[in-house]
Amino acid sequence: MSGTSKTAPGKTPANGAPAPGEDQDLGAAGSQLTTAPKEETPNLPSLGVIGWARWFWRQLTSMRVALLLLLLLSLGAIPGSLIPQEGVDAMKVEEFRGKHDVLGPLYDKLGLFHVYSSVWFSAIYILLFVSLIGCIVPRTWQFVGQLRGRPPGAPRRLSRLPAYTTWRTGAEPEEVREAALKLLRKRRFRAHTVGDAVAAEKGYLREAGNLAFHVALIVMLIAFAWGQLFKYEGNKLILEGDGFSNTLTQYDDFKSGNLFDPDHDLTPFSFSLKDFHGTYEATGPNRGTPRVYEAQVTYSEGAYGDEKSKVIEVNKPLEIDGSKVYLTAHGYAPILTVKDAKGNVVMDKEATALLPLDSNVTSSGAVMVRDGYRNAKGEKEQLGFNAFFLPTYGGEGSTMLSTFPALLNPMLALSAYHGDLGVDAGFAKSIYQLDKTNLEEFKDSDGELFKKQLKIGETMTLPNGAGTVTFDGVQEWANFQVTRQPASGWALAGSVAAILGLAGSLFIQRRRVWVRAVKGDDGVTVVEMAGLGRSESAKVPEELGDLAAVLYEPTNDDDTPDSPDTHVVPAEGPEK
């Protein structure tokens, strides 16, 4: 007789066990291949309050509801990315409200201007936490119980399992079981002898990976929430030679999480920009591309910390007690001396930062003389200049665009205004743009706006003896972004753990193997091997065939007539 190998009769459920009623004696052998809770169809008309609460809890802690909540959370984050948020840019929110009379009030009612702190987003977030925790905790305890226990004994009829093979041998049953136990343990199965059979199981990392994935997901959600609530981010433009202290009033712009407290959560430190150094590709297709882009700073931690030096480069920030200082931009600040009609100096070699417009650092901005100026009539006024700066001017007749980002041929173009700058009205105004509402143009001899191009050392004389402006030189500036994102390390660890856990749950299969050896009616030992996996897969039959082939060799002599058939073929019904 040759050994037989077959699949279980009829259809096999997804967990690999025969359908109920097909083999009642399978019992514990096919149970607990997963820690997923069993689905129970409730008797809806007779549920009652406790029944409905239990049914609701089971639905909330089911995997499909957790996935649905995760999808809703992702969809809810979309308006937070597309619509201006009050915590990020309150001015843009006000601008949006002013332009949209219908959408503005509607978004206010829906909480779309503060998505991440809105009631509906918080509700989804909390329900997702409850769902995941309610799903993980019981499954974890069940999994721990399975690890502390032993694989279940063999069912009465191994031939009903999805993968099965049998052969006869002249070896004693005890010898076969001992050899099987040794082989299975060598293949990293948890194995032990139960009655006349050896029971073994492996693939526990599948469920461990599944649990690890969900725990990591919770860690990521907590880290994300913590980071969003307590984060801060601010920008500061600093001229060479100037410094910065990490206080709220020092920032040019600042945004933070809802629970951020500037009195306690700002890291105490200060730094000064000693020098910015940048070099650029001079020729070729990458002409103008930065080669060296670094800021030399000195910094100190706390109020009385020792002064230290550091070179900040792109993507190489200065890190101080959880806060990071990034170098984000660079530009130029023309140095000007302004005198009034009587020759009194009202701006003494003061640098004014201009904002870059392109990769060659063509820059624009505004120069404002707020105090001390008197016109030719002796009246107090304020001066304003629209400024346009080219670090490398192409020469007369060329476009008003810089041809290179370094200071090779600097040129400053100014157009002049006088009157009221509007900076004393008590309203916030940009220092990079002139408010011309109460300003008048200086006129040239043709009645046009008075403007002039200046090289370093040249002076512009204002019409009607109103004063002079001298271009004394150029100072460089660097822009720094100071950020703190709490729990970012936890978020990274959670992401890595989630990937590893997901890989384990997808690629590892939990399966069981039984080897039964008993004396037949003719006194010859009959060996049966069967395997059962959580889901139907070619891996279980292949592994069973490999184990059977290895076990067959030491338990059979050359004259033994039977050998195992290691392939699996479909069967139409139970073995007779």
Side-chain angles (χ1 to χ4, degrees):
M1 144 184 152
S2 64
T4 61
S5 180
K6 52 182 279 306
T7 57
K11 296 182 179 179
T12 303
N15 65 358
E22 284 191 350
D23 195 355
Q24 298 297 332
D25 71 293
L26 189 58
S31 67
Q32 296 183 345
L33 273 171
T34 175
T35 56
K38 296 180 180 179
E39 295 285 345
E40 296 181 9
T41 304
N43 186 9
L44 295 180
S46 59
L47 277 178
V49 176
I50 296 178
W52 274 110
R54 183 179 300 172
W55 178 85
F56 176 79
W57 175 254
R58 287 177 179 171
Q59 298 305 309
L60 179 61
T61 56
S62 66
M63 191 54 57
R64 60 177 175 268
V65 172
L67 292 174
L68 178 62
L69 290 171
L70 190 60
L71 174 63
L72 290 177
L73 195 70
S74 302
L75 294 176
I78 294 177
S81 303
L82 301 179
I83 299 173
Q85 299 295 292
E86 290 180 340
V88 176
D89 195 332
M91 295 186 66
K92 282 189 177 180
V93 173
E94 291 300 324
E95 183 180 347
F96 186 94
R97 287 184 178 130
K99 291 182 178 179
H100 302 84
D101 296 333
V102 177
L103 288 180
L106 178 62
Y107 286 0
D108 271 322
K109 291 180 180 178
L110 296 177
L112 296 182
F113 290 126
H114 49 90
V115 168
Y116 302 112
S117 60
S118 63
V119 174
W120 58 269
F121 191 86
S122 300
I124 296 174
Y125 213 89
I126 294 173
L127 285 175
L128 180 58
F129 270 108
V130 174
S131 177
L132 289 173
I133 294 173
C135 178
I136 289 172
V137 171
R139 291 182 67 160
T140 301
W141 284 115
Q142 184 178 348
F143 183 59
V144 171
Q146 293 178 16
L147 290 177
R148 296 177 64 183
R150 290 187 172 187
R156 183 171 55 87
R157 300 178 63 185
L158 291 177
S159 60
R160 303 298 295 268
L161 296 183
Y164 172 81
T165 186
T166 182
W167 70 90
R168 301 199 308 163
T169 177
E172 293 297 319
E174 292 79 5
E175 296 177 3
V176 175
R177 289 193 289 268
E178 184 178 349
L181 187 64
K182 183 177 180 181
L183 171 63
L184 290 169
R185 286 177 175 173
K186 184 178 180 181
R187 296 292 182 91
R188 298 191 301 277
F189 279 84
R190 296 177 65 206
H192 69 122
T193 302
V194 184
D196 59 0
V198 174
E201 185 172 2
K202 73 183 303 186
Y204 290 91
L205 285 178
R206 176 188 179 92
E207 192 63 30
N210 188 25
L211 294 174
F213 170 77
H214 290 91
V215 172
L217 187 59
I218 292 179
V219 172
M220 289 171 60
L221 291 173
I222 293 175
F224 173 77
W226 190 270
Q228 290 297 312
L229 290 172
F230 291 95
K231 72 174 183 179
Y232 73 81
E233 178 182 303
N235 289 279
K236 178 63 178 179
L237 186 151
I238 303 177
L239 295 170
E240 287 179 328
D242 288 349
F244 166 80
S245 295
N246 194 27
T247 58
L248 195 59
T249 56
Q250 289 270 307
Y251 284 98
D252 295 330
D253 62 80
F254 187 87
K255 54 188 178 183
S256 62
N258 294 331
L259 298 183
F260 173 81
D261 183 358
D263 295 330
H264 299 92
D265 296 336
L266 279 174
T267 306
F269 68 89
S270 61
F271 69 92
S272 298
L273 175 62
K274 295 303 180 183
D275 178 61
F276 177 87
H277 178 56
T279 61
Y280 309 88
E281 289 285 351
T283 59
N286 295 322
R287 186 176 186 271
T289 302
R291 297 183 61 185
V292 177
Y293 206 74
E294 59 187 26
Q296 176 72 43
V297 302
T298 57
Y299 71 97
S300 60
E301 301 180 40
Y304 306 102
D306 295 334
E307 193 171 83
K308 304 175 185 177
S309 296
K310 170 73 174 180
V311 175
I312 303 177
E313 302 177 58
V314 177
N315 296 324
K316 294 182 179 179
L318 168 65
E319 298 188 35
I320 305 175
D321 192 22
S323 294
K324 295 183 179 181
V325 182
Y326 290 91
L327 173 63
T328 58
H330 158 258
Y332 298 104
I335 301 172
L336 301 178
T337 297
V338 180
K339 297 180 180 180
D340 64 9
K342 293 184 177 181
N344 298 318
V345 176
V346 294
M347 177 184 284
D348 187 13
K349 294 183 178 180
E350 185 175 321
T352 302
L354 305 181
L355 299 182
L357 301 176
D358 56 28
S359 59
N360 285 325
V361 203
T362 302
S363 307
S364 70
V367 179
M368 302 181 189
V369 180
R370 299 178 176 87
D371 301 311
Y373 173 78
R374 291 180 180 271
N375 60 21
K377 297 179 181 179
E379 299 171 341
K380 288 186 177 181
E381 278 191 318
Q382 294 175 325
L383 295 179
F385 302 90
N386 273 333
F388 203 76
F389 177 74
L390 282 64
T392 301
Y393 179 44
E396 188 175 351
S398 64
T399 60
M400 287 295 290
L401 294 173
S402 177
T403 59
F404 197 72
L407 291 171
L408 301 182
N409 184 26
M411 187 273 288
L412 176 66
L414 296 175
S415 54
Y417 299 82
H418 64 101
D420 182 6
L421 295 171
V423 295
D424 301 323
F427 301 103
K429 291 182 180 294
S430 172
I431 63 173
Y432 301 105
Q433 290 181 334
L434 287 180
D435 180 1
K436 302 176 184 177
T437 305
N438 298 311
L439 291 177
E440 297 182 16
E441 298 177 351
F442 279 105
K443 301 293 185 178
D444 60 16
S445 57
D446 298 326
E448 301 292 334
L449 173 64
F450 182 77
K451 52 189 176 182
K452 188 173 182 180
Q453 297 179 1
L454 301 174
K455 291 187 177 182
I456 293 178
E458 294 184 343
T459 298
M460 177 175 76
T461 301
L462 299 175
N464 303 319
T468 61
V469 180
T470 302
F471 181 21
D472 295 307
V474 181
Q475 192 172 355
E476 298 187 64
W477 58 258
N479 191 78
F480 297 91
Q481 184 180 76
V482 183
T483 66
R484 184 173 186 180
Q485 187 77 28
S488 57
W490 285 100
L492 176 60
S495 301
V496 174
I499 294 173
L500 294 177
L502 184 61
S505 64
L506 291 177
F507 298 110
I508 297 175
Q509 184 180 14
R510 191 169 170 187
R511 62 268 190 203
R512 290 172 180 159
V513 172
W514 293 274
V515 181
R516 174 176 283 139
V518 295
K519 286 284 188 179
D521 295 337
D522 56 358
V524 178
T525 300
V526 177
V527 183
E528 292 180 289
M529 288 189 69
L532 179 66
R534 183 184 172 188
S535 58
E536 292 188 15
S537 168
K539 184 172 184 178
V540 174
E542 290 175 2
E543 188 172 38
L544 185 72
D546 178 56
L547 290 170
V550 175
L551 182 62
Y552 177 79
E553 295 297 332
T555 58
N556 283 271
D557 299 326
D558 293 339
D559 57 350
T560 303
D562 298 334
S563 61
D565 181 7
T566 59
H567 68 278
V568 178
V569 295
E572 296 298 332
E575 183 180 359
K576 302 297 184 181

